[in-house]
Every structure is written in C-alpha cells, then in structure tokens.
Amino acid sequence: MDRKEFLSTLGFSAASIALASCLGGCKKDTPSGPTVDFTFDLTQSPYTALAIPGSYLYTNGIIIANTTSGVIIAVSEACTHEGANVQYQNSNNQFYCPRHGATFNTSGAVTRGPATSNLKQYTVTVNGNSVRVNG
Ligand code: FES
C-alpha cells in the first residue's frame, strides 16, 4: 500500500467513525415509541375511564390522558430514562415518572431529568365518541 492509498483509507475510516458517532447521537434525540394506528370508542370499556378529565390509561405501549382541560392526548408510556411507565399528573398537567422523578409536558418534552430524551407524541383525533390515535 503506498502513501496515497494509506491516507485515502485513513480518511475513509475517520469519516466512517464520525458518521457512526453522529448517527448514534441523532438517534438519542429522536423520541422512540411504538408505531400505532388504532381507534376506540369512549363509551366502551376500558376507555370509559377517559371520560373524566384528569384520567389516563395504558394501551398499545402508550399512555392516553384526558387533560384537566378536557383534551385527549397520547405519548409513549415508557420513560426514556430507564423505561418505567410514566403517569399523568392532573394536578400539574404533566407526565411524571415515579421511578426517578423525570417529568414531561403534555407534548412529551422533557421538563426535568434524569431523562434527557422526549416521549413520543401521537396524533389524537376525536370525532364524537370515536378517538383515533396514530403516529
Ligand atoms: S426511569 Fe423514569 S426517571 Fe428513571
């Protein structure tokens, strides 16, 4: 291998390492959660629980909450720190992780660590008693 080939190979290796490092970093900032697309009826169990503002339930790897203002929202249920199920706190209108205390706003964005990545936010479409969750 001559000098030119060696430097060319070295440059490719350095670029590969930099690219791999960037991809790892980018992945950390992307909210993760299951991909879902389902519809439920608010008059059918267990979804009747969501009729009360401030209530929430888990299904399909996500947490669905009826906020204190009566808006139905959905984010991934697994805390991005170590995977504990987050809860909806109606007193603060936020998601809370009981394991180490991380908090997330109603869009799933981290508002207090130790979690550093956001929860995945889902699109919720309400049409009468029919609710579609997808994302
Ligand atoms: S697992 Fe949620 S804050 Fe640690």
Side-chain angles (χ1 to χ4, degrees):
M1 175 183 294
D2 66 15
R3 182 173 182 253
K4 185 177 178 182
E5 286 175 333
F6 174 76
L7 290 175
S8 177
T9 302
L10 187 63
F12 178 75
S13 296
S16 299
I17 291 168
L19 179 61
S21 175
C22 175
L23 290 175
C26 295
K27 184 177 180 184
K28 183 179 179 183
D29 295 333
T30 303
S32 63
T35 298
V36 299
D37 189 352
F38 63 95
T39 301
F40 62 86
D41 189 326
L42 285 169
T43 64
Q44 301 293 313
S45 179
Y47 304 104
T48 52
L50 288 172
I52 304 166
S55 61
Y56 65 91
L57 57 77
Y58 303 100
T59 184
N60 298 303
I62 65 175
I63 178 172
I64 303 172
N66 184 351
T67 67
T68 51
S69 57
V71 177
I72 297 178
I73 59 175
V75 297
S76 49
E77 70 180 27
C79 177
T80 56
H81 180 228
E82 290 183 358
N85 279 4
V86 298
Q87 303 168 345
Y88 176 70
Q89 284 186 319
N90 59 8
S91 59
N92 298 318
N93 194 32
Q94 68 180 5
F95 293 99
Y96 167 76
C97 179
R99 187 172 296 170
H100 304 113
T103 59
F104 306 84
N105 68 18
T106 54
S107 299
V110 176
T111 52
R112 184 177 68 206
T116 58
S117 298
N118 299 337
L119 301 172
K120 180 178 178 179
Q121 183 181 29
Y122 295 88
T123 301
V124 177
T125 307
V126 180
N127 185 9
N129 288 325
S130 177
V131 179
R132 179 182 177 204
V133 179
N134 68 305

